[in-house]
Coordinates of all heavy atoms in Angstrom, one line a residue:
R1 N 8.5 4.3 55.1 CA 9.8 4.0 55.6 C 9.8 2.5 55.8 O 8.9 1.9 56.3 CB 10.0 4.7 57.0 CG 11.4 4.4 57.5 CD 11.6 5.3 58.8 NE 12.7 4.8 59.5 CZ 12.7 4.4 60.8 NH1 11.6 4.4 61.4 NH2 13.8 3.9 61.3
A2 N 10.9 1.9 55.3 CA 11.0 0.4 55.3 C 12.4 0.0 55.6 O 13.3 0.7 55.6 CB 10.6 -0.1 53.9
R3 N 12.5 -1.3 56.0 CA 13.8 -1.9 56.3 C 14.1 -2.9 55.2 O 13.3 -3.8 54.9 CB 13.7 -2.6 57.6 CG 15.1 -3.2 58.1 CD 16.0 -2.1 58.5 NE 17.3 -2.7 58.9 CZ 18.3 -1.9 59.2 NH1 18.2 -0.6 59.2 NH2 19.4 -2.4 59.5
D4 N 15.2 -2.7 54.5 CA 15.7 -3.6 53.4 C 16.6 -4.6 54.1 O 17.7 -4.3 54.5 CB 16.4 -2.8 52.4 CG 16.8 -3.7 51.2 OD1 17.1 -4.9 51.4 OD2 16.8 -3.1 50.1
P5 N 16.2 -5.9 54.2 CA 17.1 -6.9 54.8 C 18.3 -7.2 54.0 O 19.3 -7.7 54.6 CB 16.1 -8.1 54.9 CG 15.1 -7.9 53.9 CD 14.9 -6.4 53.7
V6 N 18.3 -7.0 52.7 CA 19.5 -7.3 51.9 C 20.5 -6.3 52.1 O 21.7 -6.6 52.3 CB 19.1 -7.4 50.4 CG1 20.3 -7.6 49.5 CG2 18.1 -8.5 50.2
L7 N 20.1 -5.0 52.1 CA 21.1 -3.9 52.3 C 21.3 -3.6 53.8 O 22.2 -2.9 54.2 CB 20.5 -2.6 51.7 CG 20.3 -2.6 50.2 CD1 19.7 -1.3 49.7 CD2 21.6 -2.9 49.5
D8 N 20.5 -4.2 54.7 CA 20.5 -4.0 56.1 C 20.5 -2.6 56.5 O 21.4 -2.1 57.3 CB 21.8 -4.7 56.7 CG 21.7 -4.9 58.2 OD1 20.6 -4.9 58.8 OD2 22.8 -4.8 58.8
R9 N 19.5 -1.9 56.0 CA 19.3 -0.5 56.4 C 17.9 0.0 56.0 O 17.2 -0.6 55.3 CB 20.4 0.4 55.6 CG 20.2 0.5 54.1 CD 21.2 1.4 53.5 NE 21.1 1.3 52.1 CZ 21.9 1.9 51.3 NH1 22.9 2.7 51.8 NH2 21.8 1.9 50.0
D10 N 17.6 1.1 56.7 CA 16.3 1.7 56.4 C 16.3 2.4 55.0 O 17.3 3.0 54.6 CB 15.9 2.8 57.5 CG 15.6 2.1 58.8 OD1 15.6 0.9 58.9 OD2 15.4 2.8 59.8
V11 N 15.2 2.3 54.3 CA 15.1 2.9 53.0 C 13.7 3.6 52.9 O 12.8 3.4 53.6 CB 15.2 1.9 51.9 CG1 16.6 1.3 51.9 CG2 14.2 0.8 52.0
A12 N 13.6 4.5 51.9 CA 12.3 5.0 51.5 C 11.7 4.1 50.4 O 12.4 3.7 49.5 CB 12.5 6.5 50.9
L13 N 10.4 3.8 50.6 CA 9.7 2.9 49.7 C 8.6 3.6 49.1 O 7.8 4.2 49.8 CB 9.3 1.6 50.5 CG 8.4 0.6 49.7 CD1 9.3 -0.1 48.7 CD2 7.9 -0.4 50.7
T14 N 8.5 3.5 47.8 CA 7.3 4.1 47.0 C 6.6 3.0 46.4 O 7.2 2.2 45.6 CB 7.8 5.1 46.0 OG1 8.6 6.1 46.6 CG2 6.6 5.7 45.3
L15 N 5.3 2.8 46.6 CA 4.4 1.9 46.0 C 3.4 2.6 45.1 O 2.7 3.5 45.6 CB 3.7 1.0 47.0 CG 4.5 0.2 47.9 CD1 3.7 -0.5 49.0 CD2 5.2 -0.9 47.1
F16 N 3.4 2.3 43.8 CA 2.6 3.0 42.9 C 1.2 2.3 42.8 O 1.1 1.1 42.7 CB 3.2 3.0 41.5 CG 4.4 3.9 41.5 CD1 5.7 3.4 41.7 CD2 4.3 5.3 41.3 CE1 6.8 4.2 41.7 CE2 5.5 6.1 41.4 CZ 6.7 5.5 41.6
N17 N 0.1 3.1 42.8 CA -1.2 2.6 42.7 C -1.7 2.4 41.3 O -2.5 3.3 40.8 CB -2.2 3.6 43.5 CG -1.8 3.8 44.9 OD1 -1.3 2.8 45.6 ND2 -1.9 5.0 45.4
T18 N -1.3 1.4 40.6 CA -1.7 1.1 39.3 C -1.8 -0.4 39.1 O -1.0 -1.1 39.6 CB -0.9 1.8 38.2 OG1 -1.4 1.4 36.9 CG2 0.6 1.3 38.3
R19 N -2.7 -0.8 38.3 CA -2.8 -2.3 37.9 C -2.6 -2.5 36.4 O -2.6 -3.6 36.0 CB -4.2 -2.8 38.3 CG -4.5 -2.8 39.8 CD -3.7 -3.8 40.5 NE -3.9 -3.8 42.0 CZ -3.1 -4.3 42.8 NH1 -2.0 -4.9 42.5 NH2 -3.4 -4.2 44.1
D20 N -2.3 -1.4 35.7 CA -2.1 -1.4 34.3 C -0.7 -2.0 34.0 O 0.3 -1.4 34.4 CB -2.2 0.0 33.7 CG -2.1 0.0 32.2 OD1 -3.0 -0.2 31.5 OD2 -0.9 0.3 31.8
E21 N -0.6 -3.1 33.2 CA 0.7 -3.7 32.9 C 1.6 -2.8 32.1 O 2.8 -2.9 32.3 CB 0.4 -5.1 32.2 CG -0.2 -6.1 33.0 CD 0.7 -6.6 34.2 OE1 1.9 -6.6 34.0 OE2 0.2 -6.8 35.3
T22 N 1.1 -2.0 31.2 CA 1.9 -1.1 30.4 C 2.5 -0.1 31.3 O 3.7 0.2 31.2 CB 1.1 -0.4 29.3 OG1 0.5 -1.4 28.5 CG2 1.9 0.5 28.5
E23 N 1.8 0.4 32.3 CA 2.3 1.4 33.2 C 3.3 0.8 34.2 O 4.3 1.4 34.5 CB 1.1 2.0 34.0 CG 1.6 3.3 34.7 CD 0.4 4.1 35.3 OE1 -0.7 3.7 35.1 OE2 0.7 5.1 36.0
H24 N 3.1 -0.5 34.5 CA 4.1 -1.2 35.3 C 5.4 -1.2 34.6 O 6.4 -0.9 35.2 CB 3.6 -2.7 35.6 CG 2.6 -2.8 36.6 ND1 2.2 -4.0 37.1 CD2 1.9 -1.9 37.3 CE1 1.3 -3.9 38.0 NE2 1.1 -2.6 38.2
Q25 N 5.4 -1.6 33.3 CA 6.7 -1.6 32.6 C 7.3 -0.3 32.5 O 8.5 -0.1 32.6 CB 6.4 -2.2 31.2 CG 7.7 -2.6 30.5 CD 8.5 -3.6 31.3 OE1 8.1 -4.6 31.7 NE2 9.8 -3.3 31.4
Q26 N 6.5 0.8 32.3 CA 7.1 2.1 32.2 C 7.7 2.5 33.5 O 8.8 3.2 33.5 CB 6.0 3.1 31.8 CG 5.5 3.0 30.4 CD 4.2 3.8 30.1 OE1 3.5 4.3 31.0 NE2 3.9 4.0 28.8
L27 N 7.1 2.2 34.6 CA 7.6 2.6 35.9 C 8.9 1.8 36.2 O 9.9 2.3 36.8 CB 6.6 2.3 37.0 CG 5.4 3.2 37.1 CD1 4.3 2.6 38.0 CD2 5.8 4.6 37.6
L28 N 9.0 0.5 35.8 CA 10.2 -0.3 36.0 C 11.3 0.3 35.1 O 12.5 0.3 35.6 CB 9.9 -1.7 35.7 CG 9.0 -2.5 36.7 CD1 8.7 -3.8 36.2 CD2 9.7 -2.5 38.1
D29 N 11.0 0.6 33.9 CA 12.0 1.2 33.0 C 12.5 2.5 33.6 O 13.7 2.8 33.6 CB 11.4 1.5 31.6 CG 11.1 0.2 30.8 OD1 11.7 -0.8 31.2 OD2 10.4 0.3 29.9
E30 N 11.6 3.4 34.2 CA 12.1 4.6 34.8 C 12.9 4.4 36.0 O 14.0 5.0 36.2 CB 10.8 5.4 35.2 CG 11.2 6.8 35.8 CD 10.0 7.6 36.2 OE1 8.9 7.3 35.8 OE2 10.2 8.7 36.8
G31 N 12.6 3.4 36.8 CA 13.4 3.0 37.9 C 14.8 2.6 37.5 O 15.8 2.9 38.1
R32 N 14.9 1.8 36.4 CA 16.3 1.4 35.9 C 17.1 2.6 35.5 O 18.3 2.7 35.7 CB 16.1 0.5 34.7 CG 15.7 -0.9 35.1 CD 15.7 -1.9 33.9 NE 14.8 -3.0 34.2 CZ 13.6 -3.1 33.9 NH1 13.0 -2.1 33.1 NH2 12.8 -4.1 34.2
R33 N 16.4 3.6 34.8 CA 17.1 4.8 34.3 C 17.6 5.6 35.5 O 18.7 6.1 35.6 CB 16.2 5.6 33.4 CG 16.1 5.0 32.0 CD 15.4 6.0 31.0 NE 14.1 6.3 31.5 CZ 12.9 5.7 31.2 NH1 13.0 4.5 30.5 NH2 11.8 6.1 31.7
L34 N 16.7 5.8 36.5 CA 17.0 6.6 37.7 C 18.1 6.0 38.5 O 18.9 6.7 39.2 CB 15.8 6.8 38.5 CG 14.7 7.7 37.9 CD1 13.4 7.7 38.8 CD2 15.2 9.2 37.8
S35 N 18.2 4.7 38.5 CA 19.2 4.0 39.3 C 20.6 4.3 38.8 O 21.6 4.1 39.6 CB 19.0 2.5 39.4 OG 19.3 1.9 38.1
R36 N 20.8 4.7 37.6 CA 22.1 5.0 37.1 C 22.6 6.5 37.4 O 23.7 6.8 37.2 CB 22.1 4.8 35.6 CG 21.9 3.4 35.2 CD 22.2 3.1 33.7 NE 21.1 3.7 32.8 CZ 20.1 3.0 32.4 NH1 19.9 1.7 32.7 NH2 19.2 3.5 31.6
I37 N 21.7 7.3 37.9 CA 22.1 8.7 38.3 C 22.8 8.7 39.6 O 22.4 8.1 40.6 CB 20.8 9.6 38.4 CG1 20.1 9.6 37.0 CG2 21.2 10.9 38.9 CD1 18.8 10.4 37.0

């Protein structure tokens, strides 16, 4: 549980345990797709 100062509200925060740059890009791409739903 985290506080987003920009949105001024509590949010759920997920941090992924990976150091692989390819996986980073895949997770960011998935986040962009999910944000449109």
